[in-house]
């Protein structure tokens, strides 16, 4: 298993993590067996959005005796009423559900207290201008949550949340289909057929700016919906008309700036194993570009997707990483100190490009890499 630091939280999390939906309606024994399997393969991170009391209780039992080795991301503003989960902004219901969550999970704190599902701008102002954010801050001061997070599907609203400086973690939907779509507060539009009826070109600028902002400011992203609700794994359902593998979907999400971990919803151990296959996958198996390049209606032409097809560089430059650092600096308008340090730590730098162009012949997206290396060398000074 690969472990990454979740932004400025300092938490060391497994790159492949667990969503909770696959454990709903399972017996305590089944949940425990699934956790044994996942933990045995290095998983140490879970998101628990659902307030389903049976689910929380079963997960609490499965983590008994090993809570200290596991990072729990629980949600604020979800409540269980009349046998179903509801999102709430009611302070009393939020606190009551939170207290019950700790009890059911058999813990005295959450590593991340995730403010649940903020997609609309009006809801953002209600949350961050009202009692909910104050509740989250108070719980953090009391040590009952360690870090504050927010979950969203809307890059514009997620950016507003990150810019407050109040959140350390963003849970966000990341996959190549959603990345084509403009910002909006209708989550259903992300996988509606009509959203992909016309030609789409390159990653939406709002989404790209969001990922880069999180990378620069140390807000860790844990990605959800990496399979697009399963549609990307099926050629008939995928807007691309091609099936991607779980490994390709996970690799795509984990190569976006700021992303530390992916939350995969798995109903069976076979599905957990399919996600864990990413850990030992070869570069060819992780290659998502093969499923994205050469499409008639969807194109990323001229845009670095960090896929690594340009390698190996004749001069030993890690071209994808240089592109990533350069894009971060361009987006900021200056070179952030952390980006400067990370660039300096590279074994080879953009100025070492010999202009042979071998990388360009391998790039599936037609990026003018030699010119990009020159621009990076000019910006960084070497």
């Amino acid at each position: 298993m690969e472990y990454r630091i979740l932004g400025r939280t300092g938490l060391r999390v497994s790159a492949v993590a667990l969503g909770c939906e696959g454990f709903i309606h399972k017996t305590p024994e089944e949940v425990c067996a699934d956790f044994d399997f996942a933990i045995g393969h290095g998983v140490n991170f879970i998101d628990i959005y659902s307030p389903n009391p049976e689910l929380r209780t079963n997960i609490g039992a499965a983590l008994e005796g090993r809570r200290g080795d596991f990072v729990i991301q629980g949600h604020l503003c979800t409540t269980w009423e009349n046998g179903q989960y509801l999102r709430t902004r009611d302070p009393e219901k939020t606190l009551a559900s939170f207290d019950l969550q700790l009890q059911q999970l058999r813990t005295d704190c959450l590593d991340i207290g995730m403010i649940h599902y903020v997609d609309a701008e009006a809801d953002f102002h209600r949350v961050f201008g009202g009692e909910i954010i104050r509740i989250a801050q108070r719980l953090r001061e009391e040590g009952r949550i360690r870090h504050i997070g927010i979950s969203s599907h809307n890059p514009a609203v997620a950016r507003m949340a990150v810019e407050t400086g109040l959140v350390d973690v963003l849970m966000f939907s990341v996959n190549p289909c959603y990345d084509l779509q403009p910002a909006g507060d209708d989550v259903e539009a992300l996988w509606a057929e009509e959203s992909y009826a016309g030609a789409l070109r390159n990653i939406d600028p709002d989404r790209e700016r969001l990922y880069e902002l999180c990378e620069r400011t140390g807000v860790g992203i844990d990605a959800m919906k990496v399979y697009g609700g399963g549609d990307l794994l099926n050629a008939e359902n995928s807007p691309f008309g091609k099936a991607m593998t779980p490994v390709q979907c996970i690799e795509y999400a984990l190569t976006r700036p700021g992303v530390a971990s992916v939350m995969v919803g798995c109903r069976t151990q076979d599905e957990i194993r399919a996600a864990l296959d990413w850990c030992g996958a070869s570069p060819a198996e992780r290659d998502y570009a093969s499923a994205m390049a050469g499409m008639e209606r969807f194109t990323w032409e001229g845009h670095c997707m960090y896929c690594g097809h340009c390698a190996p560089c004749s001069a030993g430059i890690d071209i994808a990483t240089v592109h990533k650092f350069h894009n971060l600096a361009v987006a900021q308008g200056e070179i952030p100190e952390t980006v400067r340090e990370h660039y300096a730590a590279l074994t080879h730098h953009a100025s070492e490009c010999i202009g042979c162009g071998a990388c360009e012949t391998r790039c599936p997206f037609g990026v003018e890499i030699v010119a990009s290396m020159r621009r990076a060398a000019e910006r960084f000074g070497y």
Side-chain angles (χ1 to χ4, degrees):
M1 176 61 70
E2 178 181 323
Y3 297 91
R4 299 182 175 190
I5 300 301
L6 186 62
R8 61 184 179 230
T9 69
L11 295 169
R12 181 174 176 269
V13 298
S14 53
V16 177
L18 297 174
C20 69
E21 58 266 37
F23 303 109
I24 296 174
H25 306 311
K26 288 191 172 184
T27 66
E29 293 77 18
E30 289 171 331
V31 172
C32 190
D34 286 348
F35 267 78
D36 287 344
F37 179 79
I39 291 171
H41 287 82
V43 174
N44 77 337
F45 190 20
I46 188 171
D47 174 77
I48 307 171
Y49 79 85
S50 175
N52 182 307
E54 183 178 45
L55 171 74
R56 286 177 173 175
T57 300
N58 288 344
I59 291 176
L63 289 177
E64 182 76 14
R66 48 193 178 187
R67 167 69 180 93
D69 299 323
F70 219 81
V71 177
I72 295 180
Q73 177 172 280
H75 286 231
L76 306 175
C77 301
T78 64
T79 185
W80 190 255
E81 296 181 13
N82 300 318
Q84 62 182 7
Y85 111 83
L86 298 173
R87 182 183 67 171
T88 183
R89 300 296 184 236
D90 180 281
E92 291 185 6
K93 291 182 178 180
T94 295
L95 281 169
S97 182
F98 174 80
D99 289 338
L100 187 57
Q101 180 174 192
L102 294 187
Q103 178 184 332
Q104 291 163 335
L105 292 175
R106 305 185 189 185
T107 186
D108 58 0
C109 73
L110 298 177
D111 297 289
I112 303 159
M114 183 68 55
I115 300 173
H116 185 66
Y117 194 174
V118 185
D119 278 6
E121 186 172 339
D123 192 35
F124 164 82
H125 290 298
R126 182 180 181 185
V127 167
F128 284 85
E131 186 62 22
I132 295 301
I133 189 62
R134 289 192 286 271
I135 287 173
Q137 290 172 310
R138 187 165 69 249
L139 292 173
R140 184 178 59 187
E141 290 168 1
E142 295 170 352
R144 295 205 286 163
I145 63 174
R146 294 193 173 100
H147 305 281
I148 297 173
I150 181 176
S151 67
S152 180
H153 306 83
N154 184 342
V157 167
R159 182 182 178 90
M160 292 167 64
V162 171
E163 288 175 339
T164 67
L166 299 176
V167 300
D168 298 316
V169 182
L170 170 66
M171 187 180 190
F172 193 72
S173 49
V174 181
N175 65 60
C177 281
Y178 295 1
D179 274 355
L180 289 165
Q181 295 298 328
D185 58 16
D186 180 8
V187 66
E188 300 296 330
L190 287 173
W191 55 80
E193 285 187 23
E194 54 269 27
S195 296
Y196 299 91
L200 294 169
R201 180 181 176 86
N202 279 330
I203 183 172
D204 176 71
D206 282 332
R207 293 176 182 273
E208 189 163 44
R209 283 192 290 266
L210 172 64
Y211 302 151
E212 291 169 348
L213 175 65
C214 289
E215 177 84 23
R216 293 197 312 270
T217 58
V219 172
I221 301 175
D222 50 63
M224 58 178 166
K225 305 290 193 298
V226 295
Y227 299 159
D231 284 351
L232 283 170
L233 306 181
N234 186 301
E236 293 183 4
N237 294 339
S238 171
F240 296 155
K242 293 182 180 179
M244 296 180 72
T245 67
V247 168
Q248 290 172 325
C249 292
I250 291 169
E251 177 72 2
Y252 176 87
L254 287 172
T255 52
R256 300 310 95 191
V259 175
S261 184
V262 298
M263 299 292 185
V264 185
C266 301
R267 295 166 294 179
T268 65
Q269 288 187 17
D270 284 342
E271 291 183 358
I272 297 174
R273 185 180 291 105
L276 290 169
D277 282 346
W278 175 85
C279 301
S282 67
E285 290 168 328
R286 292 187 179 188
D287 174 25
Y288 51 82
S290 61
M292 295 166 54
M295 296 182 182
E296 184 176 340
R297 290 191 296 119
F298 309 110
T299 177
W300 292 264
E301 191 70 21
H303 195 87
C304 179
M305 298 302 293
Y306 314 127
C307 66
H309 269 269
C310 48
C313 169
S314 303
I317 301 167
D318 184 341
I319 295 169
T321 300
V322 169
H323 264 129
K324 187 176 293 187
F325 291 157
H326 183 244
N327 289 343
L328 289 169
V330 170
Q332 180 74 5
E334 60 182 14
I335 305 175
E337 183 178 350
T338 54
V339 174
R340 187 185 301 277
E341 291 175 355
H342 290 154
Y343 180 79
L346 294 174
T347 305
H348 298 279
H349 301 95
S351 61
E352 298 174 52
C353 173
I354 62 175
C356 69
C359 52
E360 294 185 356
T361 66
R362 294 189 291 266
C363 178
F365 303 112
V367 177
E368 295 179 348
I369 297 172
V370 173
S372 295
M373 292 300 102
R374 289 175 184 151
R375 288 192 293 269
E378 289 173 4
R379 185 169 293 269
F380 287 103
Y382 58 102

